[in-house]
Amino acid sequence: MQKYKKGEYRDQFVIAYITDPNDYKDTVDWSIKFCNLLKKGLILLFISDEQYTQITTSQAQKKLKEINASLSLPYVHSYVALNGKTKDIINNLGDLLNAVMIVTKSYNGKNKTLPTHYDNIIRDFRASRVAYFVFKEYMANCKFKNVVLSMNAMKECKEKILWASYFGRFAHSVTHIFYHRYKDEYLQRQLNLNIGFLRKMFRKFDIETLNVHSLNRKTKLDLQALDYAKTNNCDVCIFQTTKNKSYIEFFTGLPERNVIYDMGNIPILFLNQRDDLFIMCE
């Protein structure tokens, strides 16, 4: 690893998840954008999983070394190729590599053997303890000026709010708070508490917000927020994945599956719902 000044960049890393050593540029470019935004290091990751590839760790290490050597960055950057099941490795990246974010490309085609196929992303990343950024293509002009945050009554919303605050603090983003009201009084009260928590935090950091109240209770909230982002020139959406699959979703699929499929050019930062709150050290 390259040396860096103590205190300048923390020993936490954005992970560029490279699934094809010959198709890595977009993933690395997005990862570098986040490294610059969050002041974190960069690690290039390849997973030798026989379910998806015949490339060995030694073969991957050689290519990753070349890619890493080609980067001229002011902070620590390195690479690693790991052997094992993708799902297990992704789940442990927080501990293995001190990861704060994983960046991955998404593929919508018919070849379901690719690790970037949206069905495989949903399955392999469901247990991730760190946020994961999913994109279709690199947007060089993206400055994260407008961020869409879908808000619901779940208590796990607080981590999603924290991530929105990072965009507001470091990229000076406007946060578009997308929500709908509940008929149930308890759920509405929980939503109010979450929005109250957001406003208190955002006032502290002087982050600009914009309320977007949807009257549509039938369409999934994240799908509505995604459509809003597409039609209002927003840069990224922040969503949470489903914690417990319902009986209906066994047949219709998880909401995030449809979101990734329909995302188009809008990248999405996903967080998996869990009981403990992850706060990125700064």
Side-chain angles (χ1 to χ4, degrees):
M1 286 191 175
Q2 297 184 10
K3 293 182 180 180
Y4 60 103
K5 294 180 181 179
K6 185 176 181 181
E8 182 178 358
Y9 285 87
R10 309 269 182 171
D11 60 342
Q12 292 181 312
F13 298 94
V14 174
I15 307 299
Y17 176 41
I18 298 172
T19 59
D20 181 351
N22 296 312
D23 181 19
Y24 62 87
K25 191 174 186 308
D26 285 357
T27 304
V28 172
D29 286 346
W30 271 120
S31 300
I32 290 173
K33 192 181 287 286
F34 278 108
C35 289
N36 292 332
L37 179 69
L38 302 172
K39 301 294 187 291
K40 304 299 177 185
L42 171 67
I43 293 181
L44 312 177
L45 169 68
F46 183 88
I47 300 175
S48 294
D49 184 343
E50 61 182 10
Q51 179 182 2
Y52 299 126
T53 183
Q54 297 300 312
I55 299 174
T56 65
T57 53
S58 58
Q59 291 171 330
Q61 287 271 21
K62 182 178 180 180
K63 182 62 179 178
L64 293 179
K65 183 178 180 180
E66 294 176 2
I67 298 171
N68 187 60
S70 71
L71 303 176
S72 179
L73 303 173
Y75 42 80
V76 61
H77 54 95
S78 190
Y79 60 93
V80 63
L82 301 175
N83 182 66
K85 290 188 177 297
T86 301
K87 184 177 181 180
D88 294 340
I89 291 173
I90 292 295
N91 182 36
N92 289 291
L93 283 181
D95 295 325
L96 285 174
L97 301 179
N98 211 11
V100 297
M101 172 190 282
I102 311 165
V103 177
T104 181
K105 197 169 188 176
S106 178
Y107 164 76
N108 273 21
K110 296 181 179 180
N111 186 358
K112 294 188 176 183
T113 64
L114 296 177
T116 51
H117 188 277
Y118 65 98
D119 276 338
N120 294 331
I121 289 176
I122 292 298
R123 183 184 65 250
D124 292 337
F125 283 72
R126 269 184 66 77
S128 173
R129 293 181 58 79
V130 298
Y132 54 102
F133 180 81
V134 181
F135 70 93
K136 291 289 176 62
E137 62 181 64
Y138 178 63
M139 312 292 282
N141 294 326
C142 176
K143 304 295 185 183
F144 301 120
K145 291 303 180 186
N146 290 280
V147 174
V148 178
L149 173 67
S150 67
M151 289 291 293
N152 56 34
M154 297 293 292
K155 63 182 176 61
E156 291 87 355
C157 274
K158 286 185 173 58
E159 185 172 348
K160 189 165 52 170
I161 293 168
L162 285 172
W163 267 100
S165 76
Y166 299 146
F167 286 99
R169 292 161 60 189
F170 306 136
H172 308 292
S173 309
V174 177
T175 302
H176 299 241
I177 309 168
F178 197 97
Y179 66 97
H180 64 63
R181 299 192 182 280
Y182 293 92
K183 291 182 180 179
D184 184 281
E185 291 185 6
Y186 172 79
L187 293 177
Q188 182 59 44
R189 185 164 62 251
Q190 295 304 113
L191 172 64
N192 293 340
L193 289 173
N194 284 337
I195 293 178
F197 174 81
L198 181 151
R199 295 197 185 288
K200 183 177 181 180
M201 172 178 286
F202 281 30
R203 278 197 301 269
K204 178 180 178 181
F205 296 111
D206 197 25
I207 299 172
E208 185 178 352
T209 61
L210 179 66
N211 286 345
V212 185
H213 174 208
S214 170
L215 298 177
N216 181 357
R217 291 196 184 98
K218 294 182 179 180
T219 305
K220 293 292 186 180
L221 187 67
D222 287 353
L223 285 173
Q224 293 184 60
L226 179 61
D227 286 339
Y228 171 85
K230 290 178 180 178
T231 56
N232 288 274
N233 297 317
C234 295
D235 299 297
V236 64
C237 291
I238 305 177
F239 297 149
Q240 277 181 315
T241 59
T242 306
K243 186 175 183 180
N244 299 309
K245 186 186 291 188
S246 69
Y247 177 78
I248 294 176
E249 287 164 347
F250 274 103
F251 300 97
T252 61
L254 294 168
E256 51 266 29
R257 182 182 185 275
N258 296 327
V259 167
I260 290 182
Y261 184 82
D262 292 333
M263 63 190 284
N265 292 331
I266 302 294
I268 300 171
L269 181 69
F270 281 108
L271 294 98
N272 293 327
Q273 295 180 25
R274 62 179 191 273
D275 294 332
D276 58 317
L277 181 64
F278 173 79
I279 300 177
M280 183 171 63
C281 297
E282 299 164 9

